Amino acid sequence: MLFNYVDQCIRLLITQTLYCLSGVIPKQHKAVMGCYKNKFADNSKYLFLHWQKQQTITAIWISGDKALIKQLTQQGYLAYYRWSLMGVFHALTAKYYIYNSYIGDINQYFAKGAIKINLWHGSPLKQIEFDISNGPLHSVYHPSTWAQKLNAKALYHQQYVKPDFMLAASDTVKGLFRTGFKMTDEQFLCCGNPRTDYHRYYQINNHQTPFTNQEVKHVILYAPSWRDSSLTNDNNNIYAEAINFKALSTQLIDQNQILLLRLHPNEAHFAAELDQYPNIINITEWDDIYGIINKIDLLITDYSSIYIDALQYKCDIAFFPFDKAHYHSECRSEYSYVAKLPAAGPSVYNFAELQNMLKHMATNAEPSLRQVFCSPQTRQVLTNTFWQHSTNALDCLDGLVKQGQHEAIKKPA
């Protein structure tokens, strides 16, 4: 026990010393960018690609994955391993830090003094950051004992570093980010997200897929949310317990449907056990799904905000919260406003109901699937709730980083 406390004190001292010292390094007009799990994905990926095309600012990708860095370098991009000499140099001297989760997407020790732009990776349905009121992450953001406070400061430094700017596609989202990250209204850019705006901006529709829509009747994407409880218990594959994947595979073959399985990156090890069945394709290791989401007929999720992105596409939406009671008690509670939202689609709670829903989808061509799953009127209400601001995120961020323009937007002290 004493050793743990000493270790945490040393870690805290080193982290805070490095972070504070990085603030005295002069900054250059360039942006370092990165992503969670050392991936090349999500909002920062698409903003990075946009800036490569437009040459808006010198953009440099930082990652702890050497293979990814080699791949990006071969494609002609500026990319450096996090702990290489150039990776450290750019992390210390960049004027902008742009990331999807935390500054550790780039380098959590060297961000002080940079303008930090958190693009985040979802819209808040379940409580986030300082709004979290239960579950394993509660003590991270609301430590009560001195031991918890030391642990939070030592191990979760980057969670306490506030961004200077975030994006908000609606006033609803802005209000939730404001409390979750303890920010002010002036720190928000009211616009969409790069990951969805990019494909409309460039009208891209050429992503390689393991299927064509002509081969199958329906393409279904199953993308459940991460269970925070896996932080303390990651031995049981709850998806294999909730779904009979062998029986599901047989049904998909009979109905000429295909299921794309995409688990959260933190649960990728579960997906490896589930990709042995015909008509079930594991895409968990893909960087992201935004290049193919326009080819999806049905999205099945649970507590994930991916359905909010899907509102901008043609696909229908359904929910499979098979562990709802457990999730809300052991993982995270939802924000209170969620209960007041109209349903974006039906909810099923066990495997038999899931099978029936997919069978219903396969055998009912009329009325249209959207009428079966969600009325156009309800869909529009939800779209207005989450996508109120139509400004393209790429244009908005271009304006922010152009030399001198960020000073026009009030930056917190």
Side-chain angles (χ1 to χ4, degrees):
M1 183 71 72
L2 179 61
F3 176 79
N4 288 337
Y5 292 150
V6 173
D7 179 66
Q8 289 177 354
C9 288
I10 295 173
R11 185 191 296 258
L12 177 61
L13 178 63
I14 293 174
T15 298
Q16 294 305 313
T17 299
L18 289 173
Y19 187 72
C20 290
L21 287 175
S22 72
V24 304
I25 305 296
K27 308 303 179 186
Q28 301 173 3
H29 189 71
K30 60 187 176 183
V32 286
M33 309 175 72
C35 181
Y36 49 78
K37 297 288 185 179
N38 293 312
K39 289 178 173 287
F40 185 57
D42 219 300
N43 284 313
S44 57
K45 166 188 173 179
Y46 290 104
L47 180 60
F48 178 81
L49 293 175
H50 169 69
W51 280 347
Q52 301 305 309
K53 294 177 182 292
Q54 301 298 323
Q55 296 294 298
T56 305
I57 188 174
T58 299
I60 303 149
W61 195 267
I62 304 294
S63 173
D65 185 339
K66 291 182 179 180
L68 172 63
I69 294 302
K70 181 179 180 180
Q71 177 185 345
L72 293 177
T73 301
Q74 290 174 342
Q75 294 175 23
Y77 300 136
L78 285 175
Y80 296 99
Y81 176 62
R82 179 172 293 120
W83 296 112
S84 67
L85 181 63
M86 291 302 294
V88 170
F89 170 76
H90 287 301
L92 280 168
T93 58
K95 184 175 184 178
Y96 298 97
Y97 261 59
I98 299 174
Y99 48 96
N100 291 323
S101 294
Y102 307 106
I103 55 173
D105 291 359
I106 302 161
N107 195 311
Q108 66 169 316
Y109 302 105
F110 301 144
K112 189 172 178 61
I115 297 170
K116 293 172 279 293
I117 305 173
N118 190 344
L119 305 179
W120 202 235
H121 52 271
S123 298
L125 294 174
K126 51 184 179 288
Q127 294 172 345
I128 57 172
E129 311 304 286
F130 291 96
D131 284 343
I132 294 174
S133 61
N134 69 316
L137 293 177
H138 180 261
S139 62
V140 172
Y141 295 98
H142 304 284
S144 56
T145 66
W146 70 268
Q148 287 180 347
K149 291 177 181 178
L150 176 59
N151 183 68
K153 290 292 186 180
L155 300 181
Y156 301 101
H157 154 73
Q158 62 177 343
Q159 280 85 340
Y160 281 79
V161 176
K162 297 180 184 179
D164 296 308
F165 296 100
M166 292 189 74
L167 310 183
S170 73
D171 292 343
T172 298
V173 172
K174 179 170 70 174
L176 298 169
F177 282 160
R178 184 175 58 233
T179 58
F181 289 88
K182 295 186 175 180
M183 298 174 68
T184 65
D185 284 345
E186 291 79 10
Q187 293 176 266
F188 288 94
L189 307 178
C190 295
C191 60
N193 287 324
R195 63 191 181 196
T196 49
D197 287 348
Y198 180 86
H199 290 89
R200 285 195 295 271
Y201 195 96
Y202 293 104
Q203 297 183 345
I204 292 175
N205 187 24
N206 60 356
H207 194 285
Q208 294 296 315
T209 64
F211 62 88
T212 67
N213 287 67
Q214 289 72 33
E215 293 173 349
V216 294
K217 189 173 184 178
H218 297 125
V219 178
I220 301 157
L221 171 63
Y222 178 45
S225 184
W226 171 47
R227 271 69 179 163
D228 299 29
S229 56
S230 65
L231 284 171
T232 54
N233 179 16
D234 60 357
N235 295 320
N236 296 327
N237 190 333
I238 59 172
Y239 305 105
E241 294 173 356
I243 300 172
N244 183 334
F245 280 89
K246 182 177 181 180
L248 177 61
S249 172
T250 300
Q251 178 174 338
L252 292 170
I253 294 170
D254 291 342
Q255 296 174 173
N256 195 24
Q257 296 172 322
I258 194 169
L259 182 94
L260 305 180
L261 175 66
R262 181 173 177 82
L263 301 188
H264 190 278
N266 288 341
E267 297 176 331
H269 55 292
F270 290 150
E273 305 172 17
L274 307 173
D275 61 359
Q276 58 182 299
Y277 304 105
N279 284 40
I280 297 176
I281 302 174
N282 177 19
I283 63 169
T284 299
E285 297 300 329
W286 285 17
D287 289 335
D288 56 56
I289 49 84
Y290 291 96
I292 65 160
I293 197 169
N294 63 329
K295 298 182 180 181
I296 301 301
D297 296 300
L298 174 65
L299 166 68
I300 302 175
T301 186
D302 41 33
Y303 323 104
S304 172
S305 64
I306 189 174
Y307 97 80
I308 295 175
D309 284 354
L311 291 170
Q312 301 181 82
Y313 297 84
K314 67 178 180 62
C315 64
D316 289 286
I317 301 164
F319 300 91
F320 184 39
F322 58 84
D323 61 345
K324 187 172 183 178
H326 167 83
Y327 188 90
H328 288 164
S329 64
E330 301 297 329
C331 297
R332 253 185 276 178
S333 298
E334 291 180 330
Y335 283 103
S336 58
Y337 85 101
V338 174
K340 303 174 184 177
L341 292 173
S347 293
V348 294
Y349 297 94
N350 57 55
F351 180 56
E353 291 179 348
L354 176 65
Q355 285 184 295
N356 289 335
M357 182 181 69
L358 296 182
K359 181 178 180 180
H360 178 79
M361 179 182 184
T363 56
N364 287 271
E366 296 294 338
S368 70
L369 286 176
R370 181 155 298 170
Q371 291 285 0
V372 171
F373 283 91
C374 177
S375 72
Q377 294 78 12
T378 297
R379 184 107 172 188
Q380 189 60 52
V381 169
L382 288 166
T383 301
N384 293 341
T385 299
F386 293 107
W387 300 105
Q388 172 187 357
H389 304 303
S390 59
T391 303
N392 188 290
L394 305 178
D395 292 333
C396 197
L397 288 160
D398 281 349
L400 178 65
V401 303
K402 285 180 179 177
Q403 187 70 43
Q405 287 197 19
H406 75 276
E407 282 87 359
I409 300 177
K410 183 177 179 181
K411 184 177 181 293

